[in-house]
Amino acid sequence: MLLNNGPTAASEREAACRWFLAGRVPNAERSTIEELLTGSSRDARTRILGIAGWPAAHSRSPFLFNRLFARYGLDYHYTWFEDSSIETIMRVARDIDAKGLSVTIPFKQDVMVHLDRIDRAAQQIGAVNTVVFSCGIARGFNTDWIGIEKPLAAYRGKRAVLLGAGGVAAAAAFALADLGMEVTILNRTYEKAVQLAERFSCQAKPWDTFDTLEPDLVVNATSLGMQPDTQSPLRAEQLKKEMTVFDLVYTPPLTPLLSAAQKAGCTTIPGTEVFLYQAKDQFRLFFGIDVPDTTIREILS
Ligand code: NAP
């Protein structure tokens, strides 16, 4: 049985179902998706959400969101939208009347042309990680910056060094600027640091000036230390116990930088905090529910 949206919508749904079942979701997930989209006992009120990425298999969002649905008694299912084309993913999501998407690498910029509205923060950052479908309209948001800002609430007005000038660094620069911090951006490719600094009224300096800066806070937004890489962006002797070190890399949870920072006596914040708070805000955007931090920590532990 197909959804009751007329013959055209029905054939689109069939195609969308075939897309899901063509090896794009884990085996254990296939019968669930088939039942939800075409099963005889399906309930038209059950709606689907998912993580759009290529690859997306690594994401912990399906695990977290499906447990939150069970906890709150919500009739939704969260799955994987894994494909090399964001255009295809957006078409499938619309065809099955999906409730929303989390968006990850490499689609955070490319998804923007497929949206009807984009919120102010996402526009300024230049990336969308959350899509909410409502009344036929696709709205884009960015919750990465909230995931970065929330753990830093006590650092308002402090002096920060941001390492990196790529995609996540833009969300970090937005968050640090929003907290009124004095931000200096260092990046391997200096010109990119200059361009990012101009967008968020920060300073850019060459990478080797770090030792002259004496920051209260260091945020690593480079990919150094992300598995399988084992490098730290800073040497042990550059870390002082007065510094707080926030590593946005979260695989592994204890990165080489965080490990060195702990040995130096620094306060440390792991990148897993970003996932927690960005997911919490996505849930609020999808359902209007403010999940307690403790509930998310308990599910992820
Ligand atoms: P990106 O756009 O590719 O940017 C990568 C950044 O790392 C650039 O600034 C790049 O410098 C720098 N870099 C790469 N290799 C380097 C090296 N060998 N030495 C010095 N700098 C180097 O990637 P992204 O999307 O911003 O992601 C960066 C990291 O953030 C990812 O690895 C991921 O672990 C983490 N992240 C975490 C979360 C979270 O939820 N916690 C979310 C998204 C991303 P150049 O400009 O010189 O190339």
Side-chain angles (χ1 to χ4, degrees), residues 104-105 108 144 148 163-170 186-190 192 207 220-224 226 229 231 233 247-251 270-275 278:
T104 187
I105 290 170
K108 289 185 184 183
D144 285 333
I148 296 166
L163 304 174
V168 81
L186 311 182
N187 190 50
R188 176 178 64 177
T189 310
Y190 176 63
K192 286 199 207 164
W207 185 272
N220 176 37
T222 74
S223 47
L224 287 171
M226 184 173 83
D229 183 62
Q231 298 176 79
D247 198 343
L248 303 186
V249 174
Y250 61 98
T251 50
T272 45
E273 291 293 283
V274 182
F275 176 72
Q278 66 79 25

Side-chain angles (χ1 to χ4, degrees), residues 23 26 108 128 130 136 140 168 175 204 256 280 291 295 299:
K108 289 185 184 183
V128 159
T130 310
V168 81
K280 177 182 153 96
V291 182
T295 302
I299 292 171

Side-chain angles (χ1 to χ4, degrees), residues 5 114 165 261:
N5 277 3
H114 300 282

Side-chain angles (χ1 to χ4, degrees), residues 111-173:
V111 73
M112 296 175 83
V113 296
H114 300 282
L115 302 172
D116 303 299
R117 310 242 170 92
I118 297 174
D119 97 319
R120 187 188 60 87
Q123 269 175 9
Q124 287 187 21
I125 293 165
V128 159
N129 78 327
T130 310
V131 177
V132 182
F133 296 99
S134 167
C135 306
I137 291 185
R139 293 184 170 81
F141 302 87
N142 186 304
T143 68
D144 285 333
W145 73 273
I146 292 171
I148 296 166
E149 182 171 300
K150 274 279 157 61
L152 297 176
Y155 293 82
R156 187 170 286 280
K158 299 280 188 189
R159 205 162 34 199
V161 167
L162 174 59
L163 304 174
V168 81

